[in-house]
Amino acid sequence: MTEQNAITNYLKYAGIKELNIKAALVDCDGVLFDSMKNHSRAWVKLMTKNGIKCTRDEFYAMEGMVGTEVIKTKFKTGAGKIITDDEALALYGVKGRYFRELGEVPVIEGTIDVLNALKERGINSVLVTGSQQASLIERIDKDYPGIFEDRKVTGHDVRRGKPNPEPYLKGIGKAGVKASECIVIENAPLGVQAGHAAGCFTVAVTTGPISEKELYKAGADMVYPNMAALLAALPALLEAKD
Ligand code: MG
């Protein structure tokens, strides 16, 4: 897939004449931070301690869902237990502790360069995550200075997490532009589905074990192997007048 082809496809299904990106909607886990390894470890520990069999891959597949929804889903399918909101929140607190105990996660290499390059072109970034993980959300302004300011949508702001488009629709609202004027930067299939369903030009970067093919299948307009490749493609994506 070339940028030109991806843009031509997008213009056709979005029913617009040209791509004019004015805002970037940016996911957190797997895009800002290399955090999915530790998240999946913490999830498996929580589930195992509660007698629920699972693999780490399952949590990569559920990445983007609001944490308490992951707990409700796994307890229901894995143990036939219906969990209340309060119980799910308490268990999410335990998962958060396991996550923190695994140590500080590194940033994803090159993401800051992409976000700075967007900013230099007058494109503001909005954080859009289903995460409620305070230990990460509090680090964002330190690791990504001047990028998001108060433009943040987290798991606390949405009723329905990804793959529902609600988080991205809220992000579009914070950006104050049209859906078709936003580029979504994602790494996970459910996040890609959400960005696509919200009507944005959706880019995915394979920063974990999820394949390029799966991300295209989820609805990505373009998939890149790393942030350096996305950075190199920005002129083609942003200056396209098809
Ligand atoms: Mg992600």
Side-chain angles (χ1 to χ4, degrees):
M1 181 80 80
T2 65
E3 280 75 22
Q4 199 56 48
N5 288 344
I7 291 166
T8 304
N9 286 344
Y10 177 76
L11 296 179
K12 205 184 276 179
Y13 75 72
I16 53 169
K17 290 210 167 60
E18 64 174 36
L19 190 63
N20 184 10
I21 297 297
K22 295 180 179 167
L25 309 182
V26 184
D27 175 48
C28 177
D29 291 297
V31 172
L32 298 184
F33 298 108
D34 191 5
S35 46
M36 279 310 297
K37 249 183 244 148
N38 286 7
H39 276 304
S40 63
R41 274 191 201 129
W43 278 125
V44 169
K45 186 171 176 183
L46 179 77
M47 295 302 161
T48 308
K49 290 210 177 217
N50 284 278
I52 296 166
K53 276 194 191 146
C54 57
T55 64
R56 283 173 58 184
D57 284 350
E58 289 176 46
F59 298 100
Y60 278 97
M62 285 192 279
E63 181 188 347
M65 281 172 69
V66 172
T68 45
E69 287 304 310
V70 172
I71 290 169
K72 285 184 181 178
T73 303
K74 280 304 295 172
F75 271 69
K76 194 173 167 192
T77 57
K81 277 190 206 163
I82 304 293
I83 293 288
T84 67
D85 288 346
D86 286 348
E87 286 167 331
L89 207 55
L91 287 161
Y92 189 59
V94 176
K95 184 258 169 181
R97 178 159 58 79
Y98 294 155
F99 176 76
R100 286 193 303 278
E101 283 168 2
L102 288 166
E104 197 161 273
V105 293
V107 295
I108 293 274
E109 205 182 323
T111 301
I112 188 67
D113 301 327
V114 170
L115 300 183
N116 278 328
L118 289 168
K119 193 178 169 185
E120 278 163 25
R121 290 165 184 266
I123 296 171
N124 280 334
S125 289
V126 182
L127 174 77
V128 181
T129 178
S131 177
Q132 299 157 302
Q133 208 75 67
S135 61
L136 275 192
I137 293 166
E138 285 161 6
R139 273 181 61 188
I140 288 174
D141 291 331
K142 180 172 72 73
D143 290 315
Y144 293 92
I147 296 292
F148 297 107
E149 297 170 347
D150 60 350
R151 296 180 300 273
K152 292 179 187 130
V153 178
T154 73
H156 298 289
D157 303 310
V158 295
R159 214 159 45 82
R160 288 160 302 177
K162 303 168 188 176
N164 193 287
E166 186 186 331
Y168 280 112
L169 294 173
K170 288 229 158 117
I172 293 163
K174 284 208 193 268
V177 300
K178 293 181 197 157
S180 60
E181 292 168 338
C182 294
I183 185 170
V184 161
I185 305 177
E186 263 290 347
N187 70 306
L190 297 185
V192 165
Q193 280 182 42
H196 179 73
C200 305
F201 186 86
T202 302
V203 159
V205 182
T206 54
T207 62
I210 307 275
S211 71
E212 182 183 299
K213 197 174 151 200
E214 282 174 86
L215 292 162
Y216 275 121
K217 213 172 118 195
D221 293 290
M222 273 306 291
V223 181
Y224 295 97
N226 50 49
M227 290 294 168
L230 172 56
L231 180 68
L234 285 183
L237 291 173
L238 302 177
E239 283 150 28
K241 295 273 183 278
D242 199 39

